[in-house]
């Protein structure tokens, strides 16, 4: 139903008017050559003007319908209203043109006068059918545009979420103190962070699983400075085929596990790579989990890059699964 | 001046303690667990409490409410890596909001704020 509420831009209306008028011109030309009695300039002028008039009525009716009628009606009536209005655009557009030509007494109106009512109905029905085709056409165009926008937005969001700045500030805070306590450890953590940041600023959207897992290890090493080595990472890679993943996808699930699962005691995080990728932990279980910004962003990136889907498996321990498409 | 530092990260809490030591403050208690800290505040009175916000079991904002219910005169200084909790933190009664990484300067500024607040209140009291 949502396609009915499409807004037709002024540019689209200009194209529709030009195409509609040309359509009327050629149809009238067709009739002009079809029979001797139509071989009059008024046939072509009337046909062209009628088509132009129909597009004007369509523009008027669709604008009124979209701006004033549809927003106040239940969606189940939208199609009926649109059908009625497209029919009326054709019928009234034709009648308007016919009335003008009738008043100025042109030869064509004299010929079609006995059939004017049938013709009005037929033109209305034709306009409805053409409107239906145009509707499909414009809705396809809008769908394409919205997909493009979604990709762009997801890319932007992905960039925004690739590196959680809070993680960075917390890590830097801990490192600043570690310098006073254990200089060797502080040096290692600074080098880890620099390695992590180097990967973060890489422009590739997809990276291979080995690289992602390496980044996860570095990430957990950095987090362990803060959490006193209470985060234990267990990685099992059973897959021998290389999987390409959006950058930071497993890292985000590990970050999520620490953020929501850590209870100031040992937190085991298990990553199993087989045909799919599972990330689970034995920490605090979140009830009624909802995909927040980070998880939704990851799911979008997985879908947009045609890698797979993110699933949450409602069991203990907390488990997320990246369902990979090409296994 | 009796101070309590509550932060689930050991390095973060020891950083605040070290900076306070450098500023000449020595009566410092550290807690790395918000539940444990909530027991401390029942048994002891603290002049200033440094609170982290994102902590397991009980957040710093929840703990602040509990502290001020028990002892409204306590000064709470929040310290966190998140800037989005600032309004909530001040609404909870915090006197300052420090963004990590914590520095000598921002801890000193927070302490100056406490001193200024106390001075103003003393002056008002004397005027009455």
């Amino acid at each position: 139903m949502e396609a009915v509420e499409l807004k037709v831009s002024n540019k689209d209306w200009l194209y529709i008017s030009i195409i509609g008028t040309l359509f009327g011109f050629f149809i009238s030309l067709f009739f002009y050559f079809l029979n001797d009695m139509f071989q009059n300039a008024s046939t072509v002028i009337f046909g062209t003007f009628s088509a132009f008039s129909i597009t004007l009525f369509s523009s008027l009716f669709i604008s009124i319908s979209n701006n004033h009628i549809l927003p106040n009606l239940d969606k189940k009536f939208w199609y009926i209203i649109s059908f009625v209005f497209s029919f009326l655009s054709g019928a009234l557009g034709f009648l308007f043109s016919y009335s003008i030509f009738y008043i100025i007494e042109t030869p064509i109106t004299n010929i079609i006068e006995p059939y004017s009512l049938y013709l009005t109905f037929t033109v209305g029905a034709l306009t409805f059918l053409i409107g239906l085709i145009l509707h499909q056409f414009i809705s396809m165009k809008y769908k394409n545009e919205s997909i493009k926008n979604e990709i762009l937005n997801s890319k932007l969001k992905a960039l925004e979420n690739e590196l959680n700045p809070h993680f960075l500030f917390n890590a830097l805070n801990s490192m600043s103190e570690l310098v006073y306590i254990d200089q060797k450890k502080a040096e290692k953590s600074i080098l880890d962070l620099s390695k992590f940041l180097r990967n973060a600023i890489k422009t590739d959207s997809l990276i291979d699983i080995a690289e992602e897992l390496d980044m996860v290890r570095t990430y957990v090493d950095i987090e362990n400075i803060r959490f006193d080595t209470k985060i234990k990472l267990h990685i099992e890679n059973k897959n021998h085929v290389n999987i390409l993943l959006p950058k930071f996808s497993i890292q985000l699930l590990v970050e999520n596990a620490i953020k929501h699962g850590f209870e100031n005691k040992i937190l085991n995080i298990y990553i199993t790579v087989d045909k799919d990728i599972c990330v689970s932990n034995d920490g605090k279980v979140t009830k009624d989990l909802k995909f927040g910004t980070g998880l939704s962003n990851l799911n979008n990136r997985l879908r947009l890059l045609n890698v797979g889907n993110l699933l949450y498996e409602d069991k203990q321990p907390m488990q997320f699964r990246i369902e990979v498409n090409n296994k | 001046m009796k101070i309590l530092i509550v932060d689930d990260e050991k390095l973060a809490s020891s950083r605040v303690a070290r900076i306070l030591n450098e500023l000449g403050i020595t009566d410092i208690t550290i807690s790395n667990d918000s539940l444990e800290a909530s027991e401390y505040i029942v048994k002891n009175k603290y002049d200033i409490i440094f609170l982290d916000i994102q902590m397991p079991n009980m957040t710093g904002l929840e703990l602040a409410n509990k502290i001020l219910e028990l002892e409204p005169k306590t000064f709470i200084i929040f310290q966190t890596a998140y800037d989005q909790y600032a309004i909530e933190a001040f609404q909870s009664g915090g006197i300052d909001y420090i963004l990590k990484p914590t520095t000598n300067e921002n801890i000193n500024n927070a302490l100056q704020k406490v001193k200024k607040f106390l001075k103003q209140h003393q002056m008002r009291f004397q005027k009455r």
Side-chain angles (χ1 to χ4, degrees):
Chain A
M1 280 287 181
E2 62 183 9
V4 180
E5 57 186 311
L6 290 176
K7 299 269 184 274
V8 187
S9 67
N10 290 337
K11 202 176 163 190
D12 285 333
W13 273 123
L14 183 69
Y15 289 141
I16 291 168
S17 302
I18 293 170
I19 294 166
T21 310
L22 282 172
F23 185 74
F25 171 74
F26 285 109
I27 287 282
S28 53
L29 214 58
F30 173 76
F31 282 102
Y32 183 90
F33 293 117
L34 198 69
N35 197 307
D36 286 347
M37 67 178 179
F38 287 123
Q39 285 189 354
N40 187 293
S42 70
T43 306
V44 179
I45 298 168
F46 173 73
T48 312
F49 184 77
S50 296
F52 180 65
S53 161
I54 291 164
T55 58
L56 278 186
F57 270 79
S58 306
S59 161
L60 183 73
F61 277 20
I62 290 176
S63 301
I64 293 171
S65 158
N66 276 353
N67 296 328
H68 303 290
I69 298 172
L70 297 186
N72 301 318
L73 274 182
D74 195 291
K75 283 198 173 186
K76 63 184 174 193
F77 299 116
W78 283 19
Y79 266 115
I80 294 170
I81 292 289
S82 303
F83 292 164
V84 171
F85 272 38
S86 58
F87 174 83
L88 283 178
S89 307
L92 294 179
F94 176 78
L95 262 184
F96 174 68
S97 162
Y98 175 75
S99 308
I100 290 173
F101 278 72
Y102 186 76
I103 291 164
I104 57 175
E105 290 182 1
T106 53
I108 184 72
T109 44
N110 291 334
I111 300 166
I112 64 170
E113 191 183 0
Y115 319 104
S116 57
L117 198 65
Y118 300 114
L119 282 171
T120 304
F121 183 83
T122 312
V123 171
L126 273 172
T127 311
F128 160 65
L129 288 175
I130 292 169
L132 210 63
I133 295 166
L134 277 175
H135 180 267
Q136 294 301 320
F137 214 76
I138 293 170
S139 69
M140 261 169 62
K141 185 187 152 199
Y142 273 77
K143 265 182 199 165
N144 284 338
E145 271 177 15
S146 78
I147 289 169
K148 275 183 195 164
N149 282 339
E150 202 182 333
I151 292 171
L152 197 67
N153 283 338
S154 299
K155 276 185 178 172
L156 286 172
K157 277 192 177 177
L159 283 170
E160 285 164 13
N161 286 294
E162 272 173 359
L163 187 64
N164 177 355
H166 308 118
F167 146 71
L168 193 61
F169 293 132
N170 274 321
L172 287 169
N173 191 51
S174 302
M175 286 171 197
S176 318
E177 190 53 24
L178 200 58
V179 169
Y180 291 89
I181 299 165
D182 188 334
Q183 288 179 8
K184 280 273 173 203
K185 237 179 165 179
E187 184 193 15
K188 186 192 175 294
S189 66
I190 290 166
L191 294 174
D192 279 344
L193 188 63
S194 102
K195 183 180 169 187
F196 188 83
L197 289 174
R198 193 172 294 282
N199 280 319
I201 56 172
K202 269 188 187 170
T203 50
D204 303 343
S205 296
L206 287 168
I207 60 170
D208 66 53
I209 184 93
E211 207 176 337
E212 175 71 12
L213 290 173
D214 191 37
M215 209 139 89
V216 169
R217 281 187 201 99
T218 310
Y219 172 75
V220 171
D221 282 349
I222 297 166
E223 287 291 62
N224 264 330
I225 304 162
R226 293 172 57 201
F227 298 114
D228 212 15
T229 59
K230 285 177 183 163
I231 316 290
K232 307 287 178 196
L233 188 64
H234 310 270
I235 298 177
E236 194 180 358
N237 193 350
K238 297 176 188 169
N239 196 330
H240 303 293
V241 184
N242 192 21
I243 301 172
L244 285 175
L245 287 172
K247 188 167 66 175
F248 289 118
S249 39
I250 302 177
Q251 184 272 336
L252 188 130
L253 295 175
V254 171
E255 185 178 330
N256 209 55
I258 297 171
K259 190 177 174 189
H260 300 289
F262 185 66
E263 292 178 294
N264 226 346
K265 56 184 184 190
I266 297 288
L267 175 72
N268 289 294
I269 299 176
Y270 304 92
I271 301 172
T272 313
V273 183
D274 200 347
K275 285 174 181 168
D276 292 335
I277 300 157
C278 288
V279 178
S280 61
N281 72 81
D282 61 357
K284 191 179 169 187
V285 176
T286 308
K287 285 173 189 161
D288 302 323
L289 183 121
K290 283 177 189 156
F291 276 23
T293 317
L295 293 173
S296 303
N297 174 274
L298 172 59
N299 198 21
N300 277 343
R301 283 191 293 153
L302 287 165
R303 281 192 299 112
L304 288 168
L305 294 164
N306 200 24
V307 173
N309 282 304
L310 177 66
L311 304 171
Y312 168 61
E313 299 184 334
D314 195 9
K315 56 183 178 186
Q316 283 186 326
M318 290 280 289
Q319 182 164 297
F320 286 92
R321 177 185 293 272
I322 296 176
E323 199 178 43
V324 181
N325 285 343
N326 303 316
K327 294 167 188 170
Chain B
M1 195 179 271
K2 205 172 159 66
I3 290 184
L4 173 67
I5 302 164
V6 188
D7 197 314
D8 60 317
E9 292 174 40
K10 280 187 180 170
L11 282 170
S13 53
S14 64
R15 177 164 182 79
V16 178
R18 187 184 50 75
I19 293 172
L20 288 170
N21 271 322
E22 284 174 12
L23 294 168
I25 299 166
T26 50
D27 192 354
I28 301 167
T29 310
I30 293 177
S31 172
N32 296 119
D33 184 334
S34 49
L35 287 180
E36 179 194 61
S38 68
E39 287 169 20
Y40 284 4
I41 57 163
V42 175
K43 292 174 192 161
N44 303 285
K45 271 191 177 181
Y46 298 96
D47 299 303
I48 301 174
I49 300 181
F50 284 84
L51 279 183
D52 181 20
I53 291 185
Q54 281 261 329
M55 289 186 284
N57 304 323
M58 189 191 281
T59 69
L61 294 168
E62 289 165 343
L63 190 55
N65 289 329
K66 201 171 173 184
I67 293 164
L68 294 174
E69 257 176 43
L70 282 167
E71 190 51 70
K73 285 182 183 170
T74 312
F75 290 100
I76 292 173
I77 298 167
F78 288 99
Q79 50 136 10
T80 175
Y82 297 81
D83 52 7
Q84 68 260 41
Y85 299 118
I87 293 172
E88 269 181 273
F90 283 111
Q91 281 171 346
S92 308
I95 192 164
D96 206 354
Y97 191 87
I98 295 172
L99 282 172
K100 287 177 182 174
T102 317
T103 62
N104 289 45
E105 195 188 358
N106 50 33
I107 288 198
N108 196 21
N109 285 343
L111 295 177
Q112 292 307 320
K113 260 190 188 175
V114 173
K115 281 179 190 168
K116 198 176 163 187
F117 186 91
L118 286 172
K119 204 175 170 183
Q120 281 173 346
H121 273 252
Q122 271 173 353
M123 279 169 70
R124 274 186 211 156
F125 187 72
Q126 281 166 0
K127 274 181 192 172
R128 281 177 196 169

